[in-house]
Amino acid sequence: SARPRLSSSSSPPHAGSRAGISGSRVGLGLGMSGRGAALCRGTELDKIDPVTGISLADSDIVATRELTINGCKWSYRCTEGDGDEAKPTIVLLHGIFSSSYSYRQVLDILGREGYKVIAPDWPGHGSSDVPPAGKFDYSEESYVHALEAFLYKLDVSKQPFVLATQGFVLGQYGLLYALKNKDSIAKLVIFNTPL
C-alpha cells in the first residue's frame, strides 16, 4: 500500500479528501521521509494542525508568555485587547490531557474582535511546569488557590471577567473558583462538563 502523504497545499482540504492525508492508512511518522518526517521532529509539530495536518501560520495577535507562582512556571497564551472597557477579559481554562493550545484559534478570533483573552496551561500541562514536590498537593484547594494567584498576578480579578471552563477533572476547579469568587465573574461558560 502507498505511504500516507501530508498535503503540501496550505489551503484547507476539500470534503472527502480525508483531511489532507492521502494514501490508504495514516502513519505515526515511523519510516516517513521528506516533508512528513520533518513534521514529526522538534517544534515543527506546533505549526501543524493536529486534525487536518495543514500548516498553521503564527498568529500576529496571540502571544505566549510565562510567569512563576510559588516556584512553578505557568505558561499561557493571551491577546492584549483593544482597551474597550465594555469588553470584559475572557479566561479560557482547558480540560485534563489538554493545554491552552486547544484554544489557539478561539484566542485569535476573540483577539481580532478586541477582547483581552488569557488561556493558561494548568500546572503539569502544556508548557507549564510540574509543581515542585511539597509545594502543590493536587487537592481542590491547591488548584483553586493556584488559579487565584495566577489571575491576581495578571490583574484579571480586579474587574468582573468571563470564565470559560472545560471538562470534569480540571473543569471543576474553574467552577469552584467561580463559586468562591462570585463577584469576579461577569459570565460563566461551562462546556464538556458532566453536571
Side-chain angles (χ1 to χ4, degrees), residues 155-177:
D155 291 329
V156 172
S157 54
K158 290 183 178 180
Q159 296 290 326
F161 63 94
V162 175
L163 178 65
T165 187
Q166 172 187 6
F168 177 69
V169 177
L170 293 176
Q172 70 179 321
Y173 305 127
L175 294 174
L176 291 170
Y177 173 89

Side-chain angles (χ1 to χ4, degrees), residues 35-80:
R35 183 167 188 242
L39 297 177
C40 296
R41 281 189 241 120
T43 60
E44 292 290 329
L45 285 175
D46 292 342
K47 299 185 188 240
I48 302 299
D49 187 297
V51 175
T52 65
I54 295 172
S55 178
L56 295 171
D58 289 335
S59 174
D60 58 340
I61 298 292
V62 180
T64 301
R65 300 212 172 109
E66 297 174 348
L67 64 91
T68 301
I69 301 170
N70 202 19
C72 182
K73 177 193 80 176
W74 283 62
S75 180
Y76 63 100
R77 286 176 165 82
C78 62
T79 63
E80 293 301 320

Side-chain angles (χ1 to χ4, degrees), residues 20-179:
I21 298 175
S22 62
S24 59
R25 55 195 164 107
V26 176
L28 297 175
L30 302 173
M32 295 177 76
S33 62
R35 183 167 188 242
L39 297 177
C40 296
R41 281 189 241 120
T43 60
E44 292 290 329
L45 285 175
D46 292 342
K47 299 185 188 240
I48 302 299
D49 187 297
V51 175
T52 65
I54 295 172
S55 178
L56 295 171
D58 289 335
S59 174
D60 58 340
I61 298 292
V62 180
T64 301
R65 300 212 172 109
E66 297 174 348
L67 64 91
T68 301
I69 301 170
N70 202 19
C72 182
K73 177 193 80 176
W74 283 62
S75 180
Y76 63 100
R77 286 176 165 82
C78 62
T79 63
E80 293 301 320
D82 61 10
D84 183 349
E85 296 290 325
K87 294 177 182 172
T89 298
I90 301 170
V91 176
L92 305 170
L93 300 177
H94 67 81
I96 197 162
F97 305 123
S98 188
S99 69
S100 62
Y101 179 79
S102 63
Y103 288 117
R104 68 199 177 284
Q105 293 172 336
V106 173
L107 279 154
D108 190 70
I109 291 167
L110 292 171
R112 290 186 191 285
E113 292 297 320
Y115 286 93
K116 179 178 180 178
V117 187
I118 299 167
D121 289 339
W122 282 104
H125 291 78
S127 295
S128 290
D129 285 346
V130 173
K135 298 256 184 186
F136 193 83
D137 66 4
Y138 296 91
S139 66
E140 290 177 358
E141 295 80 21
S142 289
Y143 276 104
V144 172
H145 178 72
L147 181 58
E148 286 173 334
F150 175 81
L151 296 173
Y152 176 80
K153 274 232 177 172
L154 293 177
D155 291 329
V156 172
S157 54
K158 290 183 178 180
Q159 296 290 326
F161 63 94
V162 175
L163 178 65
T165 187
Q166 172 187 6
F168 177 69
V169 177
L170 293 176
Q172 70 179 321
Y173 305 127
L175 294 174
L176 291 170
Y177 173 89
L179 285 172

